[in-house]
Amino acid sequence: MNNLSLVQKVKGLKNSSYTRRIFRAVFVILGKLPKKRKLVVFESFHAKQFSDNPRAIYEYMKEHYPEYRLLWSVDKSAINLFEEFKVPYIRRFTIPWFWTFPRAEYWVNNVRLPRWMPKPKGTVYLQTWHGTPLKKLGLDIEEIHMPNTETESYKQNFMLESEKWDYLISPNSYSTEVFKRAFHYNGKVIESGYPRNDVLTSHSDTLISTIKKNLGIAEEKKVMLYAPTWRDNEFYQKGKYKFEFQFDLKNWKKEFGDEWVLLSRMHYLVAENFDFSAYEGMVYDVSLYPDIRDLYLASDLLITDYSSVFFDYAILNRPIVFFMYDLESYRDQLRGFYIDIENDAPGPIVQTESELFQSIHTILENNVQSNSAFLEFKDRFSSLEDGKATERVIKAFLK
């Protein structure tokens, strides 16, 4: 048997229903042991990132709640990242993890946990989620287009997950309404703003300069951040999605390369590895950068599509262009939207490369804060983002 066959067999065993049943049984038994009081276990994006709302909560508690033990649950692929940040962790699904995770007093997570993981009695589970919803979620999706996923089982899994939550963070009243329905959630909602956005309301020029320096970007360069989402029906396999640029980087270079650099930030489910070597010093692949909050701060303009990143980015009062080249199919077939994005977007919507480039030039000539649509958008979705969301959340969920 060659090494590849052995690896495939091991992977198959780890992902089998038999293994999941064993994991669940062990988890249930150990979850009945006495709780590890004041232990908080964090995960972000399936234990593969040190980012988002869990990171903001962790950093605040580390500074202000020294009596708590803070520990991250980490996938083996992310171990180097956590060691680089010197963050205490346990490797997911190992013996120490099973001895610790089900006995923690608090869980903090921003996506769904594996279905086989029950919440032990006495555990407080804070679900932070990871974005203000534009595209439909959970039970609100009429038909699932993801690979190897049936619509009814997908919705059932969401309901089983939300039953575990003791608290759910919401960034605004609009999201509260959507979350309750889409997640079939009847528990306590902390309508607080998002902890991850606190840094966007109070940051220094020095911090921005440091971020640009660490990225290797010259101080005088302006920065565009391109952060699109994934398409449910464009995939290699479950959990690994395709993505293809719909504007030509050669043309972008001719149009903007003298003054600007482009940061390309793919969704964490996109599996592409882009070769930007022909545009070294001009186009940067930052898909694996630990936390997008730094990229928001470093950039002068955001290009996105249906990703929820624009709700956060608007806090900075910087221009946003929506490159929705497949608007009709995404809106009418794949997901559908909660808001009338074509009328309510805090920036122009474009569908072709030429429209994109023209809109970038145009929007840079105007101050977004003089745009009534932009101000109305911020008032509706960002009114709670005052730099104190993390403090409000922690006071709400700690016993």
Side-chain angles (χ1 to χ4, degrees):
M1 182 184 297
N2 61 40
N3 289 337
L4 181 59
S5 298
L6 180 60
V7 169
Q8 289 172 338
K9 281 185 176 293
V10 170
K11 276 189 174 181
L13 181 61
K14 285 175 65 179
N15 295 325
S16 70
S17 59
Y18 175 74
T19 302
R20 289 194 292 269
R21 287 197 296 270
I22 293 175
F23 280 4
R24 180 180 178 88
V26 172
F27 203 89
V28 168
I29 292 169
L30 294 177
K32 295 181 184 297
L33 294 176
K35 279 280 176 282
K36 293 178 177 284
R37 296 297 173 190
K38 295 193 174 181
L39 171 62
V40 189
V41 177
F42 299 82
E43 280 193 1
S44 179
F45 295 114
H46 308 291
K48 295 179 180 179
Q49 291 191 19
F50 178 53
S51 66
D52 204 67
N53 293 313
R55 176 178 178 175
I57 293 168
Y58 165 80
E59 291 176 333
Y60 189 95
M61 290 190 69
K62 183 180 178 182
E63 181 177 356
H64 298 283
Y65 291 82
E67 69 274 24
Y68 283 79
R69 184 185 175 206
L70 312 177
L71 196 61
W72 281 76
S73 167
V74 176
D75 184 85
K76 65 178 182 179
S77 65
I79 285 176
N80 289 341
L81 171 68
F82 281 81
E83 291 188 344
E84 180 183 338
F85 277 94
K86 296 180 172 59
V87 174
Y89 71 90
I90 44 174
R91 180 176 159 185
R92 213 182 193 204
F93 308 151
T94 58
I95 292 174
W97 183 92
F98 275 104
W99 185 248
T100 304
F101 199 106
R103 299 177 62 198
E105 188 172 7
Y106 300 94
W107 294 349
V108 179
N109 200 352
N110 66 345
V111 292
R112 289 181 291 160
L113 288 169
R115 181 174 175 173
W116 59 262
M117 285 176 61
K119 182 173 76 74
K121 184 178 180 181
T123 299
V124 177
Y125 183 177
L126 172 67
Q127 172 58 246
T128 74
W129 206 239
H130 52 269
T132 298
L134 166 64
K135 53 195 176 187
K136 291 189 176 179
L137 296 171
L139 276 66
D140 287 343
I141 303 175
E142 293 182 11
E143 183 179 358
I144 301 299
H145 295 272
M146 302 173 199
N148 304 320
T149 305
E150 295 181 358
T151 300
E152 288 310 311
S153 62
Y154 176 85
K155 294 182 178 182
Q156 182 66 26
N157 287 344
F158 252 111
M159 289 190 286
L160 291 171
E161 168 70 14
S162 67
E163 287 176 358
K164 303 174 188 176
W165 304 343
D166 296 287
Y167 297 93
L168 171 63
I169 295 178
S170 170
N172 45 55
S173 59
Y174 154 82
S175 296
T176 299
E177 180 183 344
V178 171
F179 287 165
K180 283 184 173 182
R181 182 183 64 251
F183 298 148
H184 196 259
Y185 178 69
N186 299 310
K188 297 175 183 176
V189 176
I190 306 172
E191 195 173 290
S192 56
Y194 269 148
R196 69 184 186 196
N197 290 336
D198 285 350
V199 70
L200 303 183
T201 66
S202 56
H203 55 273
S204 65
D205 291 340
T206 301
L207 174 59
I208 293 173
S209 295
T210 300
I211 294 169
K212 290 179 71 172
K213 183 178 179 181
N214 290 340
L215 288 167
I217 300 172
E219 184 69 27
E220 70 276 8
K221 286 286 187 177
K222 297 176 184 177
V223 180
M224 290 185 199
L225 172 61
Y226 181 40
T229 193
W230 52 291
R231 272 69 177 162
D232 306 54
N233 63 343
E234 297 179 8
F235 54 85
Y236 294 103
Q237 62 186 61
K238 187 174 183 179
K240 293 186 177 181
Y241 289 83
K242 299 178 181 180
F243 188 86
E244 185 176 344
F245 269 67
Q246 299 296 315
F247 62 92
D248 192 311
L249 288 175
K250 289 182 181 178
N251 295 336
W252 182 92
K253 178 182 177 180
K254 291 177 184 176
E255 195 82 12
F256 303 105
D258 290 341
E259 295 183 55
W260 293 80
V261 298
L262 180 70
L263 304 182
S264 171
R265 173 74 170 197
M266 294 295 113
H267 189 278
Y268 74 95
L269 291 176
V270 170
E272 305 290 2
N273 291 309
F274 295 100
D275 181 7
F276 296 140
S277 57
Y279 306 96
E280 187 174 354
M282 197 169 299
V283 180
Y284 296 72
D285 185 355
V286 291
S287 296
L288 297 181
Y289 190 88
D291 201 321
I292 197 172
R293 68 184 186 184
D294 290 354
L295 308 180
Y296 292 154
L297 291 172
S299 60
D300 301 283
L301 177 146
L302 171 68
I303 305 168
T304 188
D305 47 20
Y306 320 107
S307 171
S308 64
V309 295
F310 68 91
F311 289 100
D312 300 335
Y313 195 79
I315 297 168
L316 292 168
N317 294 315
R318 297 176 189 171
I320 305 168
V321 177
F322 293 84
F323 186 35
M324 297 179 170
Y325 52 84
D326 54 354
L327 174 59
E328 289 76 15
S329 63
Y330 198 98
R331 179 193 61 210
D332 301 334
Q333 298 173 28
L334 284 186
R335 282 290 189 100
F337 304 136
Y338 286 116
I339 66 174
D340 183 359
I341 190 67
E342 291 165 78
N343 288 314
D344 297 341
I349 295 175
V350 297
Q351 294 192 286
T352 66
E353 177 185 288
S354 60
E355 291 175 349
L356 172 65
F357 292 173
Q358 182 56 49
S359 287
I360 292 171
H361 286 299
T362 302
I363 203 169
L364 291 171
E365 295 172 0
N366 302 297
N367 184 347
V368 293
Q369 294 185 69
S370 64
N371 184 312
S372 59
F374 187 92
L375 296 176
E376 288 172 11
F377 178 89
K378 279 199 66 179
D379 183 62
R380 182 180 178 188
F381 298 107
S382 304
S383 61
L384 295 176
E385 305 292 359
D386 60 359
K388 297 182 179 180
T390 310
E391 180 181 348
R392 287 193 287 270
V393 168
I394 293 171
K395 287 181 177 178
F397 88 89
L398 286 185
K399 290 181 178 178

